Amino acid sequence: MLAFCFAIFLAFGAVLVLVGANQDALAAALGIDLARSGLAASTLALGIGAGMALGGPLADRVARRPLAAAAIGVAAAALLAVSDGMSFARLLMHVFALGAGAGMANVLINVAIVERFGDAAARRLVVLHSAATVGAVAWPGLAAVLGEAYSWTLSFRLVGVAYAVFALWVLRVPLGVPAHARADSLAAARPGSRLELAAYCLTAFAYLGVEGGVTVFAVPFAADGLGLSPDRGRTAISAFWMGLLAGRMSLLLWRGALDARVLVVCGVTGTFALGLAALRTTTQVEWLLGSAGFCIGPVFPLLVALAARTLPTRPGLATGLVTGLGSLGAFVLPWATGAIGDARGVGAAFSALALGCAAIGAAA
């Protein structure tokens, strides 16, 4: 089970950076500006959120393996069917379907891990979500090589091949049995759980928005904001995700309780790191974004583990609410950040992302 989970999270990391890593090629091929680039990333995030929001409740009620196989198959088809001559509207359709399939599969796996390992799930989720960061670190450079040698579509299609394999593999993976919990479990939850869920949703909204915004605008930030080459921007995407990886793995060394206090620290330090980037006092964009990634790296896996435990009888519902509704942040913030960048420059856009980090700490 863990081998499959690690492999699919690795591919999910590549999915998260596909639009950002190919931003310049997509802009040239489709004639899109920063706002539309942000909209493409936002649409991917909206699809992920929709898949997670729907998949969470279904994880509590229906057979998980065939549902996961169908979801992964949708993601594979969306990736394999991209083409050089596609319109921008069709690109949005593909990335939404990709996000919906990948997001639903993701939440099913998260719920299965939390159910199987209980209080020990947080550290296992840290390792598995770190696989996503490895994929996100590696893929921008590979996408650049593939784009120069062949076409931007090849980096999409190779991930599609991986997802096609996962659609068959998941049929052999034990994802647990749904509890068929009562529909009124949310109403019967312990006092304060609704407030906790709302705070976790806001934290996820801010975190996923910052993660998506940094990923999609690292290339124009390097090129237009700092006067560097687009390749430096792609390297900065990898540095950001390497920072996320290091930040997540650092939790394995933490011997204290893994609770919301960790999220507060992440939000405060992330605000400082992205604030420095927005000031553009140095051209070392890789170090700036890598530091920001390290600061906020622990947020998402810890958030998933904490949220699932707020509703013990409906972990799928809790996980789906937090990750699904939180994913709206990855829809809203990159799009809004792109509009800010077009109007006031990419430095102002990164200032807005720093405020997103502040929201993480405030919600926690």
Side-chain angles (χ1 to χ4, degrees), residues 123-141:
R123 284 181 166 80
R124 284 176 172 81
L125 285 173
V126 165
V127 174
L128 294 177
H129 282 256
S130 293
T133 65
V134 172
V137 167
W139 206 252

Side-chain angles (χ1 to χ4, degrees), residues 62-140:
V62 304
R64 293 173 183 170
R65 281 191 289 190
L67 181 62
I72 296 169
V74 168
L79 285 161
L80 292 170
V82 298
S83 63
D84 280 305
M86 66 196 307
S87 66
F88 178 65
R90 184 179 156 194
L91 173 67
L92 295 183
M93 292 173 59
H94 280 268
V95 297
F96 181 85
L98 165 61
M104 182 174 291
N106 236 17
V107 78
L108 291 170
I109 293 168
N110 281 321
V111 171
I113 292 295
V114 171
E115 283 186 344
R116 182 166 181 174
F117 297 104
D119 291 340
R123 284 181 166 80
R124 284 176 172 81
L125 285 173
V126 165
V127 174
L128 294 177
H129 282 256
S130 293
T133 65
V134 172
V137 167
W139 206 252

Side-chain angles (χ1 to χ4, degrees), residues 117-243:
F117 297 104
D119 291 340
R123 284 181 166 80
R124 284 176 172 81
L125 285 173
V126 165
V127 174
L128 294 177
H129 282 256
S130 293
T133 65
V134 172
V137 167
W139 206 252
L142 182 58
V145 172
L146 294 173
E148 291 177 3
Y150 301 99
S151 166
W152 62 268
T153 60
L154 186 56
S155 64
F156 280 71
R157 289 173 180 166
L158 285 179
V159 182
V161 171
Y163 267 81
V165 172
F166 297 145
L168 298 176
W169 188 358
V170 75
L171 295 174
R172 307 281 296 178
V173 176
L175 295 180
V177 179
H180 299 284
R182 288 166 51 86
D184 61 354
S185 295
L186 183 58
R190 61 180 172 77
S193 59
R194 291 188 178 188
L195 182 59
E196 284 186 41
L197 279 175
Y200 288 142
C201 285
L202 180 55
T203 305
F205 181 95
Y207 170 79
L208 291 171
V210 171
E211 181 186 273
V214 171
T215 298
V216 77
F217 294 119
V219 171
F221 178 67
D224 301 333
L226 300 176
L228 305 173
S229 68
D231 284 338
R232 289 285 300 275
R234 276 185 282 268
T235 304
I237 295 176
S238 294
F240 174 69
W241 284 87
M242 183 67 78

